[in-house]
Amino acid sequence: MRALIVSGAGATSVVNKPVPEPDPHDVLVKMRACGICGSDAFYISIGGLPPHVGSMALGHEPAGEIVAVGEKVEGLVVGDRVVVNPMASDSDVIGNGGSSGALAEYLLVRNASLGGNIHTMPDHVPFEVAALTEPMAVAEHAVNRVSPRISDKVVVFGAGPIGLGVTIALKQAGVQHVTVVDVISGRLDKASRIGADAVIDSSEVDFAETLIATHGPAASRADRADTDIYIDAAGAPAVIDSAMKTAKRGATLGVVAVHKQPVPIDLLAVMGNELTIVGAMGYPTEIALAAERIADDWEKYAVIISHTVPFDQVDEAVRLASTPGAADKVVVTFD
């Protein structure tokens, strides 16, 4: 089978590997789609993670079809359409430094457990949309971490895949008002299509003034917005600065974006305004929920995808996903 690996700093290669054979507790999945994540671009830039530097398998957003089932596996059969939790095994994660990746023609799922590390998808969900399950689980976890109430007013910074997923999750939770902020008009159009109540192009208008006009002024300070929760899905230092300057007393800032450099924070302002800052990483329990929500409303999630690229052109898919502003969500598809 063909598989994509990180072959060196800034380099990838498609290599030939034997098709893995399942043991009694395993299943073999023929890959049908796999998303490319921002972390993939990071892994490529540094040449991979130990112990697989120079030979690291890529791909951790898998969707496919079971083609072989070990004799001791229960509840799964050949032909099932599935998504896989790549982080289910602490000892050998998929596509994040482990021995296998999902940007390959086949993926062996060890110790396959229905509802544990593998979830079935209904036939009506396109594989490329099913492949959004992993990043949407990240978004679900970010929302769970900030514990929104129905009465809350929320700002989501960044209308990339995670920010859009966060927006969908917030509206599914019944949150009163969600405003999405970005500097790319096409992404803001997508935010409106998937349910955002308002959008702000911070390259065109004054963010603070527009947010105060949108959510109203805080009761105690007219120069602060009556916004309850800020969620950083952009990863830009300016986002943290904007949130700190507009946050009312008692507001929450959730950070799900990756910041590659330390960001200074005025802790006196955090104290004075009694702000809560929480981080969100991964998806300890949210994969099943994300799979269920995609199955129920796949057409809304499909809006997130900007490019589908066949595996034969995986180099182009990697280039698109690694070039800032070139794509929103790139999904590699397999015949």
Side-chain angles (χ1 to χ4, degrees), residues 8-330:
T12 60
S13 300
V14 175
V15 298
N16 285 310
K17 295 182 175 183
V19 176
E21 302 219 359
D23 287 336
H25 293 282
D26 307 337
V27 300
L28 183 66
V29 177
K30 181 174 175 56
M31 292 304 305
R32 296 296 191 184
C34 182
I36 298 182
C37 174
S39 59
D40 292 321
F42 171 70
Y43 299 149
I44 294 167
S45 71
I46 62 173
L49 296 174
H52 303 288
V53 173
S55 63
M56 178 183 157
L58 282 170
H60 59 271
E61 300 181 5
E65 180 181 355
I66 293 178
V67 292
V69 179
E71 60 188 28
K72 294 187 178 180
V73 176
E74 297 180 356
L76 295 167
V77 298
V78 171
D80 279 345
R81 298 160 70 102
V82 296
V83 294
V84 179
N85 181 346
M87 305 297 287
S89 171
D90 291 336
S91 61
D92 194 14
V93 296
I94 295 169
N96 287 282
S99 63
S100 64
L103 279 167
E105 292 177 303
Y106 293 90
L107 176 66
L108 182 67
V109 182
R110 300 186 186 279
N111 299 311
S113 170
L114 179 61
N117 60 356
I118 195 163
H119 302 269
T120 55
M121 273 287 186
D123 291 349
H124 69 267
V125 180
F127 284 113
E128 61 267 27
V129 183
L132 296 175
T133 298
E134 193 271 353
M136 293 305 98
V138 172
E140 293 282 357
H141 183 57
V143 172
N144 286 340
R145 287 285 292 145
V146 297
S147 303
R149 300 164 299 182
I150 290 175
S151 60
D152 282 342
K153 301 171 187 175
V154 182
V155 169
V156 179
F157 292 99
I162 301 301
L164 293 177
V166 165
T167 301
I168 294 173
L170 287 166
K171 296 309 296 182
Q172 287 172 331
V175 170
Q176 174 193 162
H177 197 282
V178 180
T179 297
V180 178
V181 184
D182 207 298
V183 296
I184 300 175
S185 60
R187 290 184 171 183
L188 293 174
D189 290 341
K190 286 188 175 187
S192 296
R193 289 169 61 192
I194 55 91
D197 299 289
V199 298
I200 296 175
D201 184 338
S202 57
S203 70
E204 297 289 337
V205 299
D206 182 276
F207 166 73
E209 289 181 3
T210 307
L211 184 62
I212 292 171
T214 302
H215 283 175
S220 58
R221 289 186 58 175
D223 63 337
R224 299 269 172 162
D226 192 29
T227 303
D228 301 287
I229 297 172
Y230 298 78
I231 299 179
D232 173 19
V239 165
I240 305 300
D241 186 55
S242 294
M244 296 293 292
K245 288 180 177 178
T246 58
K248 69 179 181 180
R249 186 178 185 86
T252 295
L253 168 62
V255 181
V256 64
V258 174
H259 286 263
K260 296 179 181 179
Q261 299 293 332
V263 179
I265 294 178
D266 183 352
L267 291 179
L268 186 60
V270 173
M271 292 172 60
N273 289 312
E274 295 193 337
L275 304 180
T276 298
I277 301 176
V278 298
M281 174 70 77
Y283 34 89
T285 61
E286 288 85 1
I287 279 278
L289 175 60
E292 178 182 342
R293 287 187 164 168
I294 289 173
D296 290 342
D297 200 7
W298 71 267
E299 290 168 308
K300 180 174 287 185
Y301 289 93
V303 173
I304 294 172
I305 301 170
S306 61
H307 295 76
T308 55
V309 181
F311 186 70
D312 288 344
Q313 300 171 31
V314 69
D315 288 345
E316 172 62 11
V318 169
R319 186 195 67 78
L320 280 169
S322 303
T323 304
D328 298 329
K329 185 62 180 181
V330 178

